Amino acid sequence: MRVVLLLIRVLAFATITFSIGLCNGIPGWPPLCKESERQALLMFKQDLEDPANRLSSWVAREGSDCCSWTGVVCDHITGHIHELHLNSSDSDKDFGSTFSGKINPSLLSLKHLNYLDLSNNGFLTQIPSFFGSMTSLTHLNLGNSLFDGVIPHKLGNLSSLRYLNLSFNELKVENLQWISGLSLLKHLDLSAVILRKASDWLQVTNMLPSLVELGMSDCELDQIPPLPTPNFTSLVVLDLSLNGFYSLMPRWVFSLKNLVSLHLSFCGFQGPIPSISQNITSLREIDLSNNSISLDPIPKWLFNQKFLELSLEANQLTGQLPSSIQNMTGLTALNLRGNEFNSTIPEWLYSLNNLESLLLSRNALRGEISSSIGNLKRLRHFDLSGNSISGPIPMSLGNLSSLVELDISGNQFNGTFIEVIGQLKMLTYLDISYNSFEGMVSEVSFSNLTKLKHFIAKGNSFTLKTSRDWLLPFQLESLQLDSWHLGPEWPMWLQTQTQLTYLSLSGTGISSTIPTWFWNLTSQLRYLNLSHNQLYGEIQNIVVAPGSAVDLGSNQFTGALPIIPTSLFWLDLSNSSFSGSVFHFFCDRPDEPKQLYMLHLGNNLLTGKIPDCWMSWQYLGVLNIENNYLTGNVPMSMRYLQQLKSLHLRNNHLYGELPHSLQNCTMLSVVDLGGNGFVGSIPIWMGKSLPWLNVLILRLNELEGDIPSEICYLKSLHILDLARNKLSGKLPRCFHNLSAMANLSESFSSPLFGIGLSAEPYTVQQKAILVTKGKQVEYTKILKFVKSMDLSCNFMYGEIPEELTGLLALQSLNLSNNRFTGSIPSKIGNMERLESLDFSMNQLHGEIPPSMTNLTFLSHLNLSYNNLKGQIPESTQLQSLDQSSFVGNELCGAPVNKNCSANGVIPPPTVEQDEGEGYRLLEDEWFYVSLGVGFFMGFWIVLGSLLVNMPWSILLSQLLNRIVLKMYHVIVEYV
C-alpha cells in the first residue's frame, strides 16, 4: 500500500512539474501566440469601428494570449495565427453591430494567415490592395461588406487561394485576366460584381481547371458565348442567374459531366431546353425559373436524372401540363408556380411517386383533386395556392403521412376539411385561407396536429366550438383565423399559446374587453390584428416585440389613447371611440425617439390641438388623423417629419394658413387637408418643395386667391382637388405641364411595407377620398391609376384654356359652379380617357365641339345651365346620356326632347295665324318675364342688408344670378 501511495505522489509531482514546464515552452504544450502577431492585431483593432465591442477580448494586457481572442485561430503547434473569423451575422446587422472603418496594413505581419473572413460587415471603402501581398491566404471572404470601387488586380497574386468570395458589394471590374493565375481556386463567387465590360469572363473562368463552384449571378452580363471545349469539367455548382442574356440557352452548360446544381433563373432565356448527346446523370438541381422557356419538347436526357429538383416557375407556360413530365420518374421536386396552366390536374401527375415537393401555385388550374393524390406518399411540400381548384378535399390526402407543409389557399374548395387534415401528423405549416370552407370545427379536429407551428385559415366561414378550458396540442408561432366565428366571448385557449409571433383574429365576432393576461403573451408578437370586432373598454398599454405591427381598428374602444412602445412600427387605432386630447400620446417621453412608421387614428372622437412635439417622431411615413375634432393650426414642428409620405388631416376643425412646416416634408406623396377651415392662398412653395406629390386634396376650406402657376411644377401629380373654396382668377395655362396627368402609362407606387411571413396583412396602402361622377368614392388599391382634377364651386373666371386638353390621361374633370366664359375647348375630344366631365353652372356659350364624340369612355357628363346652343353631336356615348346632362341650354337633338332644323337651329314655336291668339301669346310672354323680374327685385330688396360684407356679397350674387338664370331658361322652355 505504501508503495502505491509513493508512486501516486511521484506521478502527481511529475505531472505538476511537466505542466509548469509546458506552460513555459516545453514541447507538446500549445504555445502562446507570437508577440509580433499580437501587436499586429492590436494595431488592426485600433482602426476598426466595433460599436458592439465584440473584440473586447483583444487587449494589450501583458500575458493576454491572442490565440484565445474572439475570432482568432492559431496553429496548435507553432502558435502562428492561421485564421481570422471577423464576419458578422444577420442579427449583428439588425442591431448595428457590424465592423466598419479602416483595414490596417498590419495584417501583413500575419505571415502564416491562410483564412480571412470579413464578410457581412459595413466597411464602405475599397478593397485594400495590400491584400494581394498576403500570399499565404487560401481562403478570402469579403462578401456582403459594402466594399466599393474597382477590384484590385493584385488579388491575382494569391496563387494559393482555394476560396474567393467578393459577392454582393458595390464592386466592378473591366476584365478578369487577373483571375487566370489562381489555378488552385475551387470556389469563386463574384455575384453582384459589375462585369458589364468584362467580355472575357467565360474565357478566363474556363481556364480554372480546379473550379468546383462558380457564382456570377446579377453581374450585368449580357452575353454568354459558345464554348467549344469546356475545361472546367470539375464544376459542380454553376450560378449565372439574374443576368440579361436574352438568348437561347447555351448547349455547353448542360454537357458539364460533373454538374450537380445549375441556376439560370431571371436570364431572359428563350426557346427549348437544349438536347445533348452525352449521357448526363449527375444533375440534382436545375433552376430555370423566370425565363421564357418552352417545354416542347422536353429533352430525353432529363428523363435519366435521378433525385432531380426542377424549377420552371414563371416561364409563361400555358395550356395543359406537359405529359412528357411523367417520364421524369426521378423527380423529387417540381416547381411550376406562376405560369398560366389552365387545365385540370392530370392523372399521370399522381404517378410521380418520388416527389417530395410539388409546387403548382399561381396558375389557373381548375377541377378537383383526384383521390390518386394519396399515391404521393413521399410528399413533404404541397402548394396549390392561387388557382381555381374546387370541390372537397379527397379523403386520400390523409395518406400523405410525410406532409410537412400544405398550402391550398386562394381556391374554391368547399365542405369541411378537418377530418382529413387532422390525419397529417407531421404538418408544421397549414394554409387553407380564402376558400369556401364552412361548418363546425371542434377541438377533436386538432388533436393529432402536435407539430403544427403555422395555421392560416382566414377568409372561410368556420365556427370554432371548444370548451372554455381547451388545451391546444401544439404551440403555434402564427395563427390567422380572420372571418371565423369565435365570439362573442374572448378565446380563453389563447392563454396557452406562449410562442406566438403572428396573431390575426380580425372580424371574428368577439365582443368583450381584452383580458389583462393577454398582454402578458404579446411581448414576442411581431404582428397583432384584432380589427373589425366589437371589442370595447379602455386600453392602457400595448405590449409587443420591437418593430411590430398592431391593428386594433374598427372596434368600440373608449377612453384615452394607450401608451405604446417607442419601438412600434405600425399602429392602427382607427374607427373606434377613443376620445380626449392627443397631447400625452404624442408628447410624453420626448427624449425617446419613436420608431413608428404608420399611424392611423382616423374616425375617432379625439379633441384639442395637434401638439407641437413632432421632433421625436421623425420616422413617420404615414400619418392619418382624419375625421376627428382637432382644432388649431398645424404646428411648426411637423417640419421634422422628413420621411412623411402620406398625410391625412381631412374633416377636422383646423384653421389658419396652410402649414409652412410641410415644405420640409419633401417626400410627401399624398396630402389631404380637406374639410377644415384653412384660409389664405395656396402657397407657392407647395409647387416647389414637394416634387413627389401625387395627390393634393384641399377641398372644403376657405382658400382664396389665384391658383399659383408653381402648381404646374408638380410633374408627378395625379389628383388635384381644390373644390369648394373661394379661389378666383383664371385657370393657369401651364396645366399641360402636369405630365403625370398627360402621360397615359404613368402610375405612382403607393408605399407597401411587410413584416414577417406574408406581406399582405401588413401592407400600408395609400388612400384618397374623391368626389367623382357625383359620388364620394374611397380609392386604395387602384389609387395609383386614378387621374382626376376637381376645381368646382369656386369663383374662377375666364376661358377654359385649350392647353387643358393636353391632359390626355385625365379620367375625371370637374370645373362646375364657377364663372367660366367662352366656348368649350375644341380639342376636348383629345382627352379620350375621360370618364366623368362636369362643366355645369358656368357661362359657357357656343356649340358643343364635334370632337366630344371621341370620348368613348364617358359615362358621366354634365353641361347643364350654361349658354350652349345648337345640335348635340351624334355619338353612341352622348346619345346614351340622360337629358339632365344638357338642361338649361339652348340645345337640340337627342337625348333632349327638342328637334333640330336642317341647319341645327331650334325651330320657332308653332302658332295659329289667329290674330287674337297671337296677342294672347305675347301677353303670356310678358307675364312670365314680369314674374321673373318681380321675384328678382323682391329677393334683392329683402336680402340687401347681407351685401355689406364683401365675401357674402360675392357668394350671394353668384347664387342669385344662378337662380335667375335657371328661371329664365325654364320660362323660355315653357313659352
Side-chain angles (χ1 to χ4, degrees), residues 729-731 795-801 819-822 842 844:
K730 297 181 178 182
L731 276 180
F795 302 117
M796 306 190 71
Y797 55 83
E799 294 187 353
I800 299 174
R819 297 176 178 176
F820 291 116
T821 56
N842 281 288
L844 301 174

Side-chain angles (χ1 to χ4, degrees), residues 676-707:
N676 284 287
F678 290 113
V679 298
S681 59
I682 298 174
I684 291 175
W685 61 258
M686 193 164 278
K688 292 183 175 181
S689 302
L690 307 179
W692 307 110
L693 198 61
N694 299 126
V695 178
L696 177 59
I697 301 176
L698 302 176
R699 68 181 295 121
L700 275 168
N701 281 286
E702 302 291 326
L703 300 174
E704 299 175 325
D706 296 353
I707 298 175

Side-chain angles (χ1 to χ4, degrees), residues 628-640:
N628 280 286
Y629 298 92
L630 300 173
T631 60
N633 299 79
V634 175
M636 287 303 297
S637 62
M638 274 199 166
R639 69 181 185 272
Y640 290 100

Side-chain angles (χ1 to χ4, degrees), residues 819-850:
R819 297 176 178 176
F820 291 116
T821 56
S823 58
I824 297 174
S826 61
K827 296 180 181 179
I828 191 73
N830 291 350
M831 305 174 75
E832 295 182 357
R833 294 292 181 92
L834 277 176
E835 300 174 20
S836 177
L837 176 63
D838 194 342
F839 286 167
S840 65
M841 302 293 289
N842 281 288
Q843 299 166 24
L844 301 174
H845 59 75
E847 297 185 351
I848 298 175

Side-chain angles (χ1 to χ4, degrees), residues 633-651:
N633 299 79
V634 175
M636 287 303 297
S637 62
M638 274 199 166
R639 69 181 185 272
Y640 290 100
L641 305 183
Q642 296 184 15
Q643 303 299 316
L644 196 64
K645 293 181 175 66
S646 184
L647 175 63
H648 299 261
L649 300 178
R650 67 181 289 127
N651 293 345

